[in-house]
Amino acid sequence: MSITKETFINYLDTFVPNEQRSMFGGTGIFVQGAMYALLSNEKLYIRGGEMLDQQLLELGCHKFKHVKRSTVAVVNYYDISPLYASRLSLCNELIQSSIAIALQEKNSQRSIP
């Protein structure tokens, strides 16, 4: 199933006001300066962390792989596109958790002197 970038951005805007920047060859979605989602190749990836990593792996979500010239970087963002298509309420919960984790990690980085 192919879903457009605009569809995902409109969907993510229903949670919080978002900012967008180019990241990893796709579009990073930020809230209050914390990146929590990535749009790449018509797929929606969300940031993991804490217990969310295990939940996403159990749901069969795969990590984003950014292919550079001679290396592959695997980052802590998971493809939830199939869940968007089949289990939207679960997808909503996962995104809310991802936003909370991204903001928490951003705030904890600020408090380190």
Side-chain angles (χ1 to χ4, degrees):
M1 177 176 85
S2 178
I3 302 172
T4 66
K5 175 181 167 182
E6 183 179 327
T7 300
F8 282 138
I9 289 173
N10 290 338
Y11 169 60
L12 294 173
D13 278 340
T14 65
F15 295 93
V16 290
N18 293 299
E19 305 147 21
Q20 302 170 35
R21 291 185 217 143
S22 293
M23 297 292 294
F24 305 118
T27 303
I29 307 297
F30 294 77
V31 58
Q32 298 174 23
M35 186 170 152
Y36 74 92
L38 174 67
L39 306 173
S40 181
N41 297 322
E42 299 180 344
K43 292 185 180 181
L44 172 59
Y45 297 84
I46 61 169
R47 179 182 189 155
E50 301 177 5
M51 305 269 302
L52 188 55
D53 287 336
Q54 187 61 36
Q55 185 179 7
L56 290 164
L57 289 171
E58 288 172 3
L59 289 165
C61 300
H62 300 285
K63 282 189 171 186
F64 177 78
K65 295 178 183 175
H66 178 55
V67 179
K68 296 183 181 181
R69 288 188 186 110
S70 60
T71 62
V72 175
V74 179
V75 294
N76 201 33
Y77 287 79
Y78 297 82
D79 181 6
I80 61 166
S81 304
L83 299 175
Y84 175 82
S86 64
R87 299 173 70 184
L88 191 57
S89 62
L90 174 61
C91 191
N92 293 343
E93 292 172 22
L94 295 171
I95 289 171
Q96 289 170 338
S97 294
S98 181
I99 290 169
I101 290 168
L103 288 172
Q104 179 182 9
E105 289 179 2
K106 178 84 172 172
N107 290 334
S108 67
Q109 287 176 351
R110 286 183 186 162
S111 64
I112 298 172

